[in-house]
Amino acid sequence: MDPSRIREKISRFRILVIGRANAGKTTILQRVCNTRDNPEIYNGAGEKIDPAALNASRERGEHDIENEMVFQSNPGFVFHDSRGFEAGGESEFDKVKAFIAARSKESKIRNQLHAIWFCIPMDEASRSFTKGEEKFFSQCDTRSIPVMVLFTKFDALYDVAYAELKSKGASMEEAEELAPKHAENSFADGPQLKSFTNVRWPPKCHVCLPNMDKDDADCGQLIERTAGILDNEVLQQLFVSTQQ
């Protein structure tokens, strides 16, 4: 099908982004949409929400997963945000589970969720999985929606890799050059990926995202792998054309 006809029929590519506070979600979405601007927020009826009202709701601890985030630099994407499942986040988990179930039952493809990006930060304070994250992959039925894990702030592991290489006799220059690759190799055999082997609804794949706060940040692997997990050819074409 012609990409313009696909966009006319489906309109936008819809992604649910899940992640704890400070997981780097907004930064990644800005990179994907090639902007430094904040998104505009719309409610479920398509009405734009005033930023002041939104900030007031956040201060009260309120959050609506039905709200749509749209970046004007690339309005072909619509994002839904979940705050993740931190301590005491049972209600948030239930909201996400219900939201995914409801969107899966939508008869129109334009209203369905097309992908889920689950962000897990790799900086020092939050390197291990939370109980809520384990619960998501064990109890949330995502069989109809492809899920990809985004290991954000992956460059935090470079310091660990640098120290390991130095302890094995590498010079400062060698350790600095080899640290990124060493971090990737160590991570491939580490506990985070092993955690997905025994869950009921494992992600389709994962991507490691370092230095997303830099101006020259590369989202190529994220885009490529997202396209690769879409088993609907029409959605795949929509995603690719939206990114161009």
Side-chain angles (χ1 to χ4, degrees):
M1 188 183 294
D2 182 78
S4 61
R5 288 194 60 200
I6 292 174
R7 280 194 295 272
E8 185 180 324
K9 180 181 178 182
I10 305 176
S11 180
R12 300 174 298 176
F13 192 89
R14 190 178 298 275
I15 301 175
L16 170 62
V17 186
I18 302 174
R20 321 166 199 174
N22 301 313
K25 293 181 291 182
T26 301
T27 300
I28 290 168
L29 301 187
Q30 287 172 325
R31 291 294 166 276
V32 169
C33 294
N34 195 29
T35 184
R36 287 282 188 180
D37 295 336
N38 287 321
E40 294 180 344
I41 312 295
Y42 299 83
N43 62 22
E47 301 163 335
K48 189 175 178 180
I49 301 175
D50 180 77
L54 200 64
N55 289 334
S57 296
R58 284 172 179 159
E59 288 174 6
R60 294 193 298 268
E62 299 171 358
H63 177 78
D64 191 346
I65 196 172
E66 292 285 352
N67 286 347
E68 300 180 346
M69 301 166 52
V70 179
F71 292 88
Q72 287 308 300
S73 59
N74 194 339
F77 282 116
V78 56
F79 301 102
H80 295 270
D81 177 42
S82 163
R83 296 175 298 183
F85 317 119
E86 280 134 319
E90 187 75 29
S91 63
E92 185 68 19
F93 175 81
D94 291 341
K95 287 177 187 175
V96 169
K97 190 175 180 180
F99 178 72
I100 291 172
R103 291 284 174 170
S104 297
K105 294 173 185 172
E106 285 280 358
S107 57
K108 294 182 178 178
I109 194 169
R110 65 166 58 211
N111 295 327
Q112 296 170 4
L113 271 179
H114 304 141
I116 298 173
W117 287 347
F118 200 116
C119 299
I120 300 177
M122 288 291 103
D123 52 342
E124 187 77 45
S126 32
R127 201 165 290 159
S128 58
F129 288 175
T130 65
K131 292 292 184 184
E133 287 162 350
E134 293 174 359
K135 185 177 179 180
F136 175 83
F137 292 103
S138 296
Q139 298 184 24
C140 198
D141 183 352
T142 55
R143 77 183 93 184
S144 63
I145 306 166
V147 180
M148 179 163 63
V149 171
L150 282 55
F151 290 106
T152 64
K153 303 184 179 182
F154 194 77
D155 49 293
L157 298 185
Y158 293 176
D159 291 339
V160 178
Y162 176 87
E164 288 179 357
L165 290 165
K166 282 280 292 170
S167 70
K168 293 177 181 177
S171 68
M172 290 176 60
E173 293 79 8
E174 288 172 333
E176 189 170 345
E177 181 182 347
L178 297 172
K181 191 64 179 176
H182 184 70
E184 290 174 17
N185 292 339
S186 299
F187 184 77
D189 296 322
Q192 285 88 358
L193 296 185
K194 287 186 173 68
S195 298
F196 294 130
T197 57
N198 296 315
V199 296
R200 186 174 184 187
W201 311 107
K204 296 284 188 183
C205 70
H206 74 275
V207 64
C208 301
L209 298 175
N211 300 313
M212 284 291 111
D213 56 331
K214 303 286 179 65
D215 286 333
D216 60 349
D218 182 12
C219 290
Q221 200 173 46
L222 171 59
I223 300 305
E224 184 180 318
R225 293 196 177 175
T226 301
I229 62 175
L230 300 172
D231 54 12
N232 182 312
E233 188 177 344
V234 171
L235 282 180
Q236 195 174 58
Q237 289 182 43
L238 174 66
F239 178 77
V240 171
S241 67
T242 300
Q243 188 53 33
Q244 290 173 347

